[in-house]
Amino acid sequence: MVEITNVYAGYGGKPVISIPYLSFKAGEITSIIGRNGSGKSTLLKAIDSLIQYTGSITADGMEIAGLSHKERARTVAYLPQTLIPVRLSIRVLVSHGRYAHTGISHRLSSKDRAMVDNAMELADVYTMQDRWINEISGGEVKRSYLAMVIAQNSRYILLDEPAAGLDISHQIMMMTILRRLAAEGIGVVITSHDTPLSLTYSDKVCMIKDGALLAVQAPSEIEASDAIMRKCIGYGIRTNEDEAALYKYRLEK
Amino acid sequence: MKKWNKLGFTLTGIALLLSLAAASLLYGNSSVSASSILDALFDTRNADLTIRMILYDIRLPRVLAAIVCGAGLSVSGLLLQEALGNNLASPSVMGVTNGAGLFVLLSAILFGNSVLAKSFMSFIGAFLTIAIVFVISRYAGSAKSTLILSGVATSALMSAGINLAVVIKPDAVYDKIAFQLGSLANVHKDILTFSAVLMIIALGITILLSKGIELFPLGDDVAHELGMPVRKYRLITLILSVLFASAAVSVCGLISFVGLIVPNLVREISKAGFADKLIISAIWGSNLILAGDILAKNTMYPYELPVGMLISLLGAPFFIVLIAKKRRRG
């Protein structure tokens, strides 16, 4: 379990988020929702020790900031929202996911290569593994980086807006992959502006406004406490009655 | 543009390197025939003393110096570009070569012809320059263009220092014009040996760190999340880059643009990973200076042009094309 206790984090000494207590369980998908600038990305960066913070952030009882770089990478993986279309083949990029698992020469073992293959298959980039990241579409770039993070085989995966920029079928595919990872026992934490999508696929929703935690609820409980959701994103949420609808939830004025 | 296979690119480079080295060894400004040089090469004991001197004291050091300087400057440029995420970075653009050059002159003024002092001061000058560039760009803003402009400004400052040193102490270097423009005409064998050994060690360390350096282009956040100590790696990479550049400058003076031209061409032409780019850049950097030196010796025969001047004639337009290309790509 990732536990965040009395955390203040921000940039240039100015706190953006203030969280008394929050936890993410392994084997679950937790969505962090909130408006632009509410502190969603800052929270993920603090968990991955990318920014300075005060307080405590632990993973399975270990202070994440106290881990070595490689131990931290084996514990927590993080994918930022903006990904660089590097001049590398997809296979090489995904292989970088094994960086924290390899020795000083960083030579991949047959087990590492099998994990890279498996990650590429899961993210649906296996058949295009020799293509270059700077020559593929934005959605394919995102899936390639997701494969890299999967190959990293960390116990917790933090994804900043993983479905943004993907077409609808790949959005569903992305969330299905994340569900599969959660079923394998990995704790998945995502930020998302697409509330119906994230509610449909999440076990828990964490609502943030102006850096403060409003509530943590299961999607099924949110409709009953509609006011909190309205305070968080400005709209209410309703269960979709239409069974043919793509998502289980819909937004309401 | 069709990309070259990295093996093809490497082997072509090696073949060209051997051909250029052979041409430089066999043909020069003296009237000694190629067959006499070949005889001296394979039967040194019985060779004429003059021919032996031409071969072992003039031509061979010159060829080796071209290889060391070309490889050093290219690898230095590649490392700077990877660590800073900016293809416009190079030891000359960032002022590293001028900084190293200024301190080589200071070393000559303060400590005479001490090989160790020259090499050490060259490194100190190069490192000090990159530190100044970072301090300026830290205050001026973190944009990539700011870093380059800080480099250009620092380079101008170091260049002014070189001119001042040359005016105050004209005999600080054997041929001040050759030093300022970059030349292989007066290679000091001890400095060459010292620089070559230093570069081989630095190359070994770079190859050892190559998997980490390969993560820089992914951006600091992704490199960090993959388990790379980004700041430590960047500092080590910059130190290595400075080491390569300063070792080259102490041998051949201020040859510009090699570190800009070669890594960018290698990146443009081949689809190689970092470790391959490192080797290919070293080979093709050597080729560029070897070819430049052959041209420098023969273009205005019997006069010899400084090789750095010829490469600058090629490098300056290349820099402009690179800027235009970067602008077009947004």
Side-chain angles (χ1 to χ4, degrees), chain A:
Chain A
M1 185 191 283
V2 171
E3 289 184 281
I4 297 159
T5 314
N6 294 327
V7 164
Y8 292 85
Y11 307 93
K14 196 177 162 193
V16 174
I17 54 163
S18 156
I19 311 263
Y21 182 80
L22 177 62
S23 66
F24 307 117
K25 281 186 189 155
E28 280 187 356
I29 297 181
T30 306
S31 286
I32 303 169
I33 59 171
R35 297 181 196 194
N36 286 339
S38 58
K40 304 184 295 293
S41 302
T42 306
L43 176 59
L44 295 193
K45 285 183 179 179
I47 297 171
D48 199 36
S49 305
L50 268 163
I51 55 170
Q52 299 262 319
Y53 62 87
T54 59
S56 162
I57 303 178
T58 60
D60 301 334
M62 292 177 299
E63 195 68 44
I64 295 174
L67 298 173
S68 73
H69 288 274
K70 285 193 171 181
E71 278 172 342
R72 189 204 62 242
R74 290 194 291 262
T75 308
V76 181
Y78 161 73
L79 207 54
Q81 191 175 349
T82 311
L83 301 168
I84 300 173
V86 281
R87 292 165 70 106
L88 290 176
S89 72
I90 293 175
R91 170 165 274 281
V92 171
L93 177 77
V94 180
S95 302
H96 285 332
R98 300 302 299 158
Y99 182 81
H101 297 267
T102 48
I104 194 161
S105 71
H106 294 286
R107 195 172 282 277
L108 296 187
S109 66
S110 53
K111 184 191 161 205
D112 291 320
R113 280 193 292 273
M115 292 191 90
V116 168
D117 286 343
N118 185 42
M120 286 193 293
E121 273 180 16
L122 206 57
D124 195 24
V125 290
Y126 185 81
T127 52
M128 51 191 287
Q129 57 177 285
D130 293 325
R131 290 184 64 191
W132 280 51
I133 303 290
N134 60 325
E135 293 170 359
I136 58 179
S137 74
E140 289 166 339
V141 170
K142 203 143 215 173
R143 276 156 45 212
S144 304
Y145 272 94
L146 176 70
M148 181 192 81
V149 164
I150 294 171
Q152 201 170 325
N153 198 30
S154 311
R155 293 200 293 281
Y156 299 92
I157 294 181
L158 318 171
L159 305 160
D160 200 353
E161 296 285 350
L166 296 181
D167 59 51
I168 192 72
S169 62
H170 280 111
Q171 282 185 16
I172 304 289
M173 185 188 142
M174 169 74 75
M175 298 310 288
T176 310
I177 294 168
L178 299 184
R179 277 255 56 103
R180 203 168 143 184
L181 293 173
E184 288 173 11
I186 292 168
V188 179
V189 182
I190 63 167
T191 67
S192 177
H193 281 115
D194 192 336
T195 312
L197 173 81
S198 45
L199 259 65
T200 303
Y201 287 92
S202 301
D203 300 294
K204 216 162 71 176
V205 178
C206 169
M207 287 169 271
I208 284 185
K209 190 183 184 208
D210 299 331
L213 188 63
L214 293 178
V216 182
Q217 292 177 323
S220 55
E221 298 166 348
I222 291 178
E223 199 174 348
S225 50
D226 192 51
I228 302 174
M229 182 58 96
R230 285 183 186 277
K231 195 177 170 190
C232 178
I233 61 166
Y235 294 94
I237 202 93
R238 290 285 173 272
T239 305
N240 229 333
E241 303 300 337
D242 182 0
E243 284 189 7
L246 200 55
Y247 302 134
K248 201 174 166 188
Y249 299 94
R250 63 182 165 81
L251 290 174
E252 192 183 73
K253 270 189 188 173

Side-chain angles (χ1 to χ4, degrees), chain B residues 69-113:
Chain B
C69 292
L73 291 171
S74 305
V75 170
S76 173
L78 177 70
L79 289 174
L80 273 178
Q81 287 160 20
E82 297 288 325
L84 304 178
N86 194 328
N87 293 355
L88 293 175
S90 81
S92 52
V93 174
M94 303 295 289
V96 174
T97 42
N98 276 342
L102 174 62
F103 276 66
V104 167
L105 284 178
L106 289 179
S107 165
I109 293 169
L110 297 172
F111 310 111
N113 271 332

